[in-house]
Every structure is written in structure tokens, then in C-alpha cells.
Amino acid sequence: MNRRNFIGIMALAGAALAGSALPLKSAETVKEKAKRLFKSPSGFTLWQLPSQHNDIGNSYVLLTDKGRVVVMDGGQPREADYLRGFIEALGNEVEAWIISHPHPDHMGALNEIIKRQWTMKIKRVYHSRLTAEMIDYEPKCRDRVNEYYANLDKSDIPVTDIKTPGDIIRIDGLNMKILAVKNPEFRNYNDSSVVIRAWDKRKSVLFLGDAGEGEGQKLLDGPYANDLNCDYIQMAHHGQNGCNEHFYKTVNFNACIWPTPMWVWNNDAGKGINTHILKTFDTRRWMDQKGIKEHHVSCLEGIWRLD
């Protein structure tokens, strides 16, 4: 990355972090500064990062009350520069990087960071690794998935293969419960999304990845159905053609967070609003019928922060 691009990215990250331009105190590290500026009154701060290219993608950064960084997915490969700048502003160290499933709009940025061998410390990656048979469910994605797994295997990053729903990961004041892992019975990657409920003493967030109708129903029928209830719900599959109406009307939540580019939000491939084949307006209607008033849409709001 050239100097101009780096400066631009750091300026964006600085603006996003709302105060990171403040000077370091004497002998203070970047990580200590981030902890000082963004210390959560509860257990973690969350940022929803918008695509810099009006592209589909899923990218969330969490900062615990003790200054440790957790990344959920990260978005497309071409989001890697921006994401890198954001993480650098928080100390350039990731305690845990969680990949919901290996579509490039979820794992692409991480794969790019690993390939380019940037000086970012990633202490552990968590995912639910697809088997060779499951990778073949989507032949068009096979080569990219195998490349990602090969790059991860060649790196020195410790990896945890999440195999058991119900496991809990605790990092400082951030608690994360695994509600779903890979599903060999569904012949697509989306319904093998790792689903996680994150919470602290003040708030809860449900990360659905790209879960579809099949995984959504399995969650409702499973032993952790009550854990689906939350304050904030990440809209599955960018808010279109993911979990169905029954799922959203069964789960209790107060607000929606949408990792959604403008063309998906408007269902517009170039011929006008709601003229394309996407199902976003169905989901939007369900939310209106449910009475949800609070929405944080990445293409409309830009970077959104939750304390």
C-alpha cells in the first residue's frame, strides 16, 4: 500500500474512532490509548463497518473493556486495506478473528491480510471448517475456499475449529455463545454460518452471518432457541433471502443492524428501486409489521458504533 493510500485509510479510521487523533500520553501504547478512549461502560464496544466499494460484505469490530480486539468476518478482499487501518488504530492486534463461513464477502479480507503478510498480530482464528465434501456443494467457490484454508494452514495463526454449539468464549467483559456451526445436511455454505450471541451486562447482539431458512428453522427447533432473543440482531444474508419471516417474527429483538450495500438495500441493479430479484423489501416489510423502529444500515449510516 502506498503512502497516500495509507494516510487516507488512517484518516478514515481516525474519524471512525471519534477521537483517535488525540495524542498519546507519555509512554502510552496505541492499544492503551484505544482502551482509554473507547472503554465500554459495560463490556465491549461494537463497530459495524460499511463497505468502501458499495459491495456486499460483513464486517464488525469489537473492543473489549480491557482493550482487546475481536473481528467478526471482515468483508471482501478489497476491504482489507480499510479494515487494516481500522485495526491499526486499535493497536494492530486481534485477540480473536471469527469467520462465520468461507464466502469471500465474509473471509476475503482476512485471506488477503494473511496472503500479504502484513505486520498485524492475529492471536487466534475461530471458524467451523467445511469438509471437502461440503466445499464441493458450491463448485464456483471451491478454489477460493481451498485457497483460504491453505493460506490459513500455512500461517502461524492458531486456529480453533468450532464443532459444538453451546460453547462459550469469554474475552474480558465480552461473552460469546456459539449457537450454530457447520451443517452438512444443508447443501450450501450460508446455512453453515457460525451463529453467535454476544453480550455483556448492558446489551446483547445476535450475529447470524448468512443463515438461511434452513439454518434459521434449525435454530428455532434447537436447544438454544431462547438464546436467539437479543437487543440487536444482525440481519441474515445482508437482509435479503436469509432467515425467513417466521424466524424474525418468532425471535424477540429491539433493533436491526444491516451489513447492506445500497443496491441491496434498494433492490436496485440499475433499473430503479425494488426492480431487481432480491428480497430486501420483504424483510423490511416484516420489520415494519413487527414494529421495529431502530435500524442501523451500513450504506445509510456509515460506521455505526454501539457501546
Side-chain angles (χ1 to χ4, degrees), residues 119-184:
T119 56
M120 176 190 299
K121 185 174 183 181
I122 302 172
K123 298 178 74 173
R124 184 166 295 275
V125 167
Y126 293 82
H127 65 180
S128 189
R129 185 165 181 156
L130 304 185
T131 64
E133 180 183 6
M134 294 176 69
I135 293 172
D136 286 340
Y137 289 168
E138 297 189 20
K140 292 182 179 179
C141 295
R142 182 192 300 120
D143 290 346
R144 284 177 293 184
V145 175
N146 284 328
E147 179 201 342
Y148 159 64
Y149 286 153
N151 288 333
L152 190 57
D153 290 344
K154 287 187 295 185
S155 76
D156 60 356
I157 303 171
V159 178
T160 294
D161 186 4
I162 307 170
K163 298 180 179 180
T164 308
D167 288 352
I168 295 178
I169 303 168
R170 290 188 172 90
I171 303 176
D172 305 327
L174 168 64
N175 308 282
M176 295 177 287
K177 186 172 184 177
I178 310 300
L179 305 185
V181 296
K182 63 186 176 188
N183 290 299

Side-chain angles (χ1 to χ4, degrees), residues 91-105:
N92 208 34
E93 180 177 297
V94 177
E95 185 72 21
W97 198 310
I98 301 169
I99 296 294
S100 63
H101 65 291
H103 276 146
D105 57 316

Side-chain angles (χ1 to χ4, degrees), residues 39-87:
K39 184 177 180 180
S40 172
S42 48
F44 67 92
T45 295
L46 164 73
W47 290 273
Q48 177 176 252
L49 304 187
S51 168
Q52 301 303 297
H53 305 278
N54 194 30
D55 206 348
I56 56 172
N58 208 62
S59 188
Y60 295 92
V61 176
L62 297 83
L63 183 71
T64 74
D65 51 354
K66 293 186 179 179
R68 293 197 278 187
V69 172
V70 175
V71 178
M72 297 281 189
D73 285 336
Q76 297 272 7
R78 60 180 178 167
E79 305 291 344
D81 284 335
Y82 176 74
L83 181 58
R84 178 198 186 190
F86 201 96
I87 293 170

